Amino acid sequence: MKKAYIALLSLALPVSGLVSCSEMMTEAGDAEIVEPITVSYKVNAVTGFVDADGKGEPDPNFPTEGLKATFVNYEESSFTSATVDADGIATATLTPGVYTINVAGSVENEGETYYLNGAAQNISLTKNVSREEAAAGSTLNLRPAKVGPLCIKEVYYCGISPYYFRDQTYEIYNNGDEVYYLDHLCFTQLYPDQATAVLPAWPASEGKDNFVYGITLWQFPGNGTDYPLAPGESVIIVQESRDHRENNPDSFDNSMAEWEMWAGGKPERDNPNVPNLQYVFWGGYINTWQWLTSVSGAAFCLYQPGQALTFGDTDYWKLGETTQKEVNGTYEWAKIPAEAVMDGVEFLPSMSDLNMKRIPGFVDAGGFSVGEIYVGKSVSRKKIGERPDGTPLYQDTNNSTDDFQINDRPAIRRNGEKVPSWSPSNH
């Protein structure tokens, strides 16, 4: 049955159009008349374990009043925003349908800033929901995420025509005010590798959104203080470090990278002047020719385990503790606690695929896309200011829909980011 809003038709129509107008009015008369509904939805900030049914203990240290709640109907391409009130309830007037409810904002706690981002997907809203019903029913639990110094600042993932992808490039930036040591930090590709509206089912013991799951973890070397990254400095990691214009004239030069992420095969393609990050975990099939992420968009996070890890270390990698399988699954994926995620971003095939988010909203409340494959475009954070030394400050609200922009071409340190003193490009 069709849904319709019946609008007044202009009377100033030619006679030849009267029949079609009559037909239109007949068709509109047969359509379903949609009455708006008023829906309340409860929002909590939770810091403890959340069970598989979404039940968790609210933390009063992180009030949700003032957060922005957006009810998005992808089928109708519509959205409605509301503000969470003092009781943690957001109320909106909507057209009945299936919605994604996004909530975002920040709070202060003990002198620190925390983001409170989250999303509830595929929520069927077909009738009025009172405040009392919302308070007693399902809630959206938000996990406070401390604003950290590091952010994934630019990603070039989509490749360039014809079907060239070996130039995939990632830039990590110190957007904070203090030196951060990269030692032991993991740059992680998250599971699933492709955006999907059918999310994996994890064992009930994992609860809901207590973890994210990694496909591949690349770990920075060092003994704790070997690789400082000062405010305003960035580090470049790449699939292959070279002047790619030698292979494709429309590509670019990323040979000045600090590290390659090399899987170990095809040694003739390894750049001997650029050190290799080591993969310390690789779930599923290991492609030793290369590490290739989806040219349609993958999801990534920065994760600090606090120690050096080793691939295949059975004392560390244990099912149910540091790895997990899907329900009825075959492969193990790295199990990463929510509180250990420093920054995360999700890239999608297109901006119309936000209903296919694969990672929880506390990692990235939105998603972003260049919209096409093999078009040579990159995505980067929006510059919002500069430090006194001229290095940029970037927007980082844990919502890539708001935080990122599309660039016609990828660039290395496009806004004057500094190079670390220990970088191979300085030697």
Side-chain angles (χ1 to χ4, degrees):
M1 182 178 291
K2 297 184 293 293
K3 295 180 181 179
Y5 295 100
I6 301 178
L8 293 175
L9 299 176
S10 171
L11 297 179
L13 294 173
V15 174
S16 61
L18 291 178
V19 175
S20 60
C21 285
S22 175
E23 291 173 350
M24 288 172 60
M25 292 298 292
T26 299
E27 182 177 347
D30 293 337
E32 175 188 358
I33 305 301
V34 178
E35 296 290 340
I37 58 175
T38 300
V39 172
S40 293
Y41 205 83
K42 185 74 166 64
V43 179
N44 286 328
V46 176
T47 53
F49 185 84
V50 177
D51 68 22
D53 293 329
K55 297 176 183 177
E57 190 66 30
D59 189 334
N61 293 313
F62 299 94
T64 58
E65 182 180 7
L67 299 181
K68 179 181 178 181
T70 304
F71 297 75
V72 184
N73 185 323
Y74 289 103
E75 181 182 356
E76 302 292 337
S77 299
S78 66
F79 68 90
T80 302
S81 295
T83 300
V84 179
D85 65 18
D87 295 323
I89 293 176
T91 302
T93 300
L94 309 169
T95 302
V98 177
Y99 284 81
T100 292
I101 304 171
N102 296 312
V103 178
S106 63
V107 298
E108 298 291 325
N109 183 37
E110 296 185 352
E112 301 284 354
T113 300
Y114 292 80
Y115 291 121
L116 287 174
N117 293 342
Q121 295 175 289
N122 298 319
I123 305 299
S124 179
L125 300 175
T126 60
K127 61 182 181 179
N128 294 328
V129 179
S130 69
R131 294 175 57 84
E132 293 74 20
E133 289 172 323
S138 299
T139 60
L140 173 56
N141 291 310
L142 309 180
R143 290 188 171 278
K146 186 176 178 181
V147 178
L150 298 189
C151 66
I152 300 170
K153 177 247 160 180
E154 181 157 355
V155 177
Y156 169 58
Y157 64 85
C158 72
I160 188 74
S161 180
Y163 310 111
Y164 190 77
F165 50 75
R166 304 196 191 284
D167 50 0
Q168 289 182 323
T169 300
Y170 311 86
E171 183 173 358
I172 299 170
Y173 183 66
N174 188 338
N175 205 37
D177 300 321
E178 299 180 354
V179 172
Y180 184 88
Y181 292 94
L182 296 173
D183 307 50
H184 304 156
L185 181 72
C186 290
F187 181 73
T188 304
Q189 179 188 1
L190 295 174
Y191 183 76
D193 58 346
Q194 300 278 351
T196 174
V198 182
L199 296 176
W202 302 104
S205 60
E206 299 290 271
K208 181 179 175 61
D209 291 348
N210 296 302
F211 306 95
V212 293
Y213 301 89
I215 302 171
T216 311
L217 276 66
W218 300 87
Q219 187 171 52
F220 291 86
N223 294 313
T225 57
D226 292 338
Y227 294 97
L229 194 70
E233 293 181 347
S234 70
V235 58
I236 310 297
I237 53 180
V238 301
Q239 183 191 136
E240 290 187 24
S241 176
R242 65 173 63 235
D243 186 346
H244 291 274
R245 293 171 295 186
E246 299 169 355
N247 297 333
N248 186 313
D250 293 324
S251 186
F252 78 119
D253 182 2
N254 65 9
S255 62
M256 70 292 293
E258 276 67 56
W259 278 286
E260 287 185 302
M261 292 176 284
W262 192 251
K266 297 287 183 179
E268 67 275 11
R269 289 189 356 223
D270 189 8
N271 186 337
N273 298 317
V274 178
N276 296 326
L277 282 185
Q278 298 299 309
Y279 61 83
V280 295
F281 182 89
W282 197 314
Y285 169 72
I286 301 177
N287 186 348
T288 56
W289 281 22
Q290 65 205 0
W291 179 58
L292 168 65
T293 66
S294 173
V295 294
S296 295
F300 306 96
C301 81
L302 300 177
Y303 160 54
Q304 178 55 268
Q307 66 181 90
L309 305 179
T310 303
F311 178 77
D313 180 2
T314 55
D315 288 334
Y316 180 84
W317 300 111
K318 294 181 179 179
L319 181 63
E321 295 181 16
T322 51
T323 71
Q324 189 54 272
K325 294 181 180 180
E326 297 175 70
V327 175
N328 299 321
T330 301
Y331 296 114
E332 295 181 37
W333 312 105
K335 178 178 171 180
I336 300 171
E339 61 270 16
V341 175
M342 296 184 61
D343 186 40
V345 292
E346 174 144 21
F347 300 114
L348 301 163
S350 74
M351 291 305 293
S352 63
D353 294 320
L354 281 164
N355 60 330
M356 297 173 63
K357 275 181 58 61
R358 81 207 89 180
I359 60 175
F362 71 83
V363 176
D364 183 355
F368 205 74
S369 176
V370 299
E372 302 172 86
I373 60 176
Y374 298 112
V375 291
K377 297 180 179 181
S378 74
V379 299
S380 65
R381 291 188 183 274
K382 298 172 183 175
K383 181 181 174 182
I384 57 173
E386 290 185 353
R387 294 185 176 86
D389 65 357
T391 54
L393 292 170
Y394 289 105
Q395 181 168 306
D396 182 9
T397 65
N398 281 15
N399 187 330
S400 58
T401 303
D402 297 332
D403 293 345
F404 279 81
Q405 64 185 17
I406 299 174
N407 308 299
D408 289 335
R409 300 282 296 168
I412 303 298
R413 300 185 173 97
R414 67 173 59 246
N415 290 316
E417 295 85 353
K418 293 183 178 180
V419 181
S421 60
W422 43 263
S423 172
S425 62
N426 286 332
H427 302 152

